[in-house]
Amino acid sequence: MKHTLLFAAAALALSACSPAPETSATADAAQAAPSADHGFGPEISAEDFAAHVKVLSSDEFGGRAPGTAGEQMTADYLVAQFQRLGLKPGNGDSWFQDVAMVETTADETTSSATITLGGQARPLAFGTQMALGTRTAEAEVKIDASELVFVGYGVNAPEAGWNDYAGLDVTGKTVVVLVNDPGFHAGDESLFAGKKMTYYGRWTYKFEEAARQGAAAALIVHDDAGAGYGWDVVKNSWSGAQYDLPASADPEPRLPMQGWLTGDVATQLFADAGLDFEAMRAAANKPGFKAVSLGDATFSATLNSTIKESSSRNILAMLPGSTRPDEAIVYTAHWDHLGDHSATHGGDGEDHVYNGAIDNATGVAGVLEIAEAFTVQDPAPERSVVFLLVTLEESGLLGSKYYAANPSIPLKDTVAVVNLDAMSVVGPTKDFVVIGLGNSELDDVLRPIAEAQGRELVEEDGVEKGFFFRSDHFSFAKYGVPALYAKGGIDHVELGKDYGRDVQARYGSIAYHKPADEFDPEWDLRGVVQDLQALYGVGRELAGSEAWPNYVEGNAFKAARDAARAGE
């Protein structure tokens, strides 16, 4: 069984039925879709996987930024693939779920930020010393002489008896916050989860809590170990257009302004305020920490931005179940990436297309390969299988967040979600990494499948980096849907662990959220094929059974699952 598709022709044929984002370049971009004549087979294969990744991460797709011509090309390509497979639209009679978004692009040439201490104003440079943004959808946001207060890790966790805001009124103030959890740098296993990041350690939580406390702004102090990535990732992720859901679709409190400081800037700020930064961080690691005012230091900023209201789209297809179509397994991956930053770099001749090959053309290609395997499965799956390719992951999981609030099949009837994000191209490995291993009963579904491949389930390296909270399955987990996020490990079957670690380290330092994340025909995709076969196996098992997996006893998400299944 072979399917042959001329991608360019399919893209043109579909452009009439898929409404475009607001961009004058859409028509031209759709016509510029790369042409390829690849014969796809029903089996999960490295060749088919690579063909998808190569197209999606090509320069012609422009880094797949939401709201651009690259989105239109991506949508046309993916719908063409779903139609080739004979799948049905996943949102009623539509392949799309519109996700309203606000696009905010800061003008760094007319914006400014200053810390004033001891009567001396000290300007902060965008990109090299700080990153700054707003979620207000306002063209101009100003903060004038806001008092700076160090609030440790900025955590308010009643169940842990921990509140960095205890007895503190930060209304109108700017809070300075450490990334990660209390106890992280001290390595204290008795505080939260020790080295393993909880959601309280995520930068998104820091801003959410500061907003709930009424702060005017929040500035997170970056450090490589605590964040799990270098400053370049912050700089690249926070430059150019930033996307958000409108307040009407996401009514949680928002800060007028939020951002990051480099560790060097924070260290100097504390020293100028008569404080030792490392000593203050050590103090913040201990129960009972009390917030500290940074002397007479104040923060002032003017952020001028171009605001554009538009929409992006989740792209979804469905294979209806043969006997229980109202129950579903969801496979998800995010199609978006960081786009083309050439316009903001003055045409300097360097490569500014963020192709996003590994992150996350690999995940999208993986979902397409798994979808094809389901279409030829005999017997057909008894439960429905939804293939959900979401937008705006790079902007804070916004596409999956929107779907989870507006699902095509109710989440109480969603058996599980399997997420594919930045698949490993290390090659075949003896280990299979489950991010958040031990969270749910899905581990027990995956384990025998992995063992049959001669592989062992292991937790992720770098548990302090909070990977479980950094990808789209987390949007489902918050509602109690069991979520599996698994990928190939580092223990290469032939070359060992040092080789695998080196491959991953080079990706993290050279390519992650950088233009260097490009398709490489030299990738060893044998491990990817194993991973996809295993993840398909999980869905096949669940789609043919009556099982309702849950989170394990004591997990924070189990109560939501129990309530949903009980109809509460």
Side-chain angles (χ1 to χ4, degrees):
M1 177 181 176
K2 287 283 181 180
H3 305 284
T4 300
L5 175 67
L6 187 62
F7 296 148
L12 288 171
L14 284 167
S15 61
C17 67
S18 51
E22 297 178 5
T23 169
S24 60
T26 296
D28 292 339
Q31 294 176 21
S35 176
D37 193 2
H38 180 83
F40 287 95
E43 70 282 352
I44 292 172
S45 74
E47 294 78 15
D48 291 355
F49 175 86
H52 290 310
V53 175
K54 187 175 181 180
V55 172
L56 291 165
S57 63
S58 63
D59 282 351
E60 288 82 355
F61 276 58
R64 304 188 308 278
T68 68
E71 170 171 343
Q72 182 65 44
M73 296 176 73
T74 302
D76 288 342
Y77 180 85
L78 295 176
V79 172
Q81 295 301 311
F82 287 149
Q83 289 185 325
R84 173 179 67 85
L85 296 174
L87 297 171
K88 294 184 179 296
N91 188 27
D93 59 359
S94 177
W95 301 102
F96 304 110
Q97 181 182 56
D98 290 335
V99 181
M101 69 177 187
V102 177
E103 178 182 322
T104 301
T105 306
D107 183 350
E108 296 181 4
T109 63
T110 62
S111 298
S112 63
T114 303
I115 290 176
T116 301
L117 183 63
Q120 181 179 355
R122 304 169 193 191
L124 298 173
F126 281 84
T128 57
Q129 294 182 307
M130 61 85 179
L132 204 60
T134 181
R135 298 182 63 204
T136 63
E138 296 177 3
E140 182 182 72
V141 180
K142 285 189 174 184
I143 292 178
D144 184 26
S146 172
E147 179 184 341
L148 281 164
V149 182
F150 175 56
V151 294
Y153 288 89
V155 169
N156 179 15
E159 75 283 0
W162 194 287
N163 185 2
D164 287 324
Y165 290 96
L168 182 66
D169 182 2
V170 296
T171 304
K173 298 178 182 179
T174 295
V175 296
V176 178
V177 190
L178 300 173
V179 72
N180 218 300
D181 286 305
F184 166 74
H185 287 284
D188 187 344
E189 295 297 322
S190 69
L191 296 180
F192 291 74
K195 282 286 188 181
K196 188 172 184 178
M197 184 186 286
T198 71
Y199 187 56
Y200 293 116
R202 281 290 288 153
W203 61 269
T204 50
Y205 167 80
K206 313 289 186 182
F207 293 143
E208 291 167 4
E209 187 59 37
R212 284 190 286 267
Q213 297 289 336
L219 300 172
I220 297 175
V221 179
H222 173 268
D223 72 88
D224 289 5
Y229 39 76
W231 178 256
D232 278 353
V233 173
V234 177
K235 179 177 69 174
N236 293 338
S237 300
W238 283 64
S239 64
Q242 304 293 302
Y243 304 97
D244 210 340
L245 298 178
S248 59
D250 180 22
E252 67 183 15
R254 302 183 181 202
L255 290 166
M257 208 175 287
Q258 59 192 41
W260 295 72
L261 296 175
T262 66
D264 289 343
V265 168
T267 299
Q268 187 62 53
L269 167 62
F270 278 61
D272 292 342
L275 300 169
D276 181 279
F277 176 70
E278 290 301 328
M280 293 306 302
R281 176 152 60 188
N285 289 332
K286 298 175 181 177
F289 167 77
K290 300 295 183 183
V292 177
S293 176
L294 295 179
D296 65 351
T298 61
F299 177 69
S300 298
T302 298
L303 195 59
N304 296 315
S305 305
T306 300
I307 308 297
K308 178 182 176 182
E309 295 184 3
S310 58
S311 66
S312 184
R313 291 169 294 180
N314 292 332
I315 306 163
L316 61 165
M318 182 185 298
L319 181 63
S322 60
T323 60
R324 282 166 288 144
D326 293 336
E327 301 171 4
I329 294 91
V330 176
Y331 283 89
T332 190
H334 72 92
W335 61 256
D336 66 305
H337 199 55
L338 301 178
D340 185 344
H341 292 202
S342 299
T344 62
H345 287 79
D348 58 12
E350 295 185 11
D351 181 7
H352 295 295
V353 176
Y354 290 69
N355 302 80
I358 288 178
D359 183 17
N360 185 35
T362 59
V364 174
V367 170
L368 292 175
E369 284 294 281
I370 288 171
E372 187 145 13
F374 270 107
T375 63
V376 297
Q377 178 180 307
D378 186 18
E382 297 173 16
R383 287 165 156 163
S384 294
V385 187
V386 175
F387 306 101
L388 172 66
L389 303 174
V390 297
T391 184
L392 294 164
E393 188 270 355
E394 301 289 9
S395 300
L397 317 183
L398 301 182
S400 57
K401 184 177 185 178
Y402 187 85
Y403 176 87
N406 304 275
S408 58
I409 290 181
L411 295 190
K412 70 178 182 62
D413 299 320
T414 299
V415 179
V417 60
V418 180
N419 181 41
L420 286 74
D421 192 356
M423 297 194 70
S424 171
V425 294
V426 166
T429 61
K430 300 174 185 176
D431 50 348
F432 200 2
V433 175
V434 177
I435 291 84
L437 181 66
N439 279 344
S440 82
E441 295 167 351
L442 292 177
D443 298 349
D444 298 327
V445 181
L446 176 62
R447 184 171 287 104
I449 297 171
E451 289 176 347
Q453 295 179 330
R455 307 170 80 188
E456 177 186 5
L457 299 190
V458 300
E459 69 178 1
E460 69 271 26
D461 267 0
V463 294
E464 72 278 4
K465 298 178 182 180
F467 289 118
F468 189 81
F469 313 107
R470 290 168 57 176
S471 194
D472 289 302
H473 61 279
F474 181 57
S475 296
F476 292 82
K478 288 192 291 187
Y479 285 86
V481 179
L484 179 64
Y485 177 24
K487 61 178 74 179
I490 59 169
D491 191 2
H492 194 281
V493 296
E494 297 141 3
L495 302 173
K497 293 181 180 179
D498 289 345
Y499 171 80
R501 285 198 180 96
D502 182 61
V503 171
Q504 289 195 349
R506 281 189 284 113
Y507 170 70
S509 62
I510 295 171
Y512 176 61
H513 279 205
K514 297 174 185 175
D517 186 4
E518 298 181 302
F519 174 76
D520 184 349
E522 299 302 314
W523 284 338
D524 183 351
L525 298 179
R526 291 177 295 163
V528 166
V529 171
Q530 278 192 313
D531 296 348
L532 294 177
Q533 290 170 338
L535 296 176
Y536 160 65
V538 170
R540 180 183 59 202
E541 175 71 20
L542 294 174
S545 77
E546 297 183 2
W548 286 95
N550 202 338
Y551 285 94
V552 300
E553 203 65 46
N555 186 277
F557 305 122
K558 187 177 187 300
R561 180 62 161 183
D562 291 343
R565 292 297 300 150
E568 298 175 6

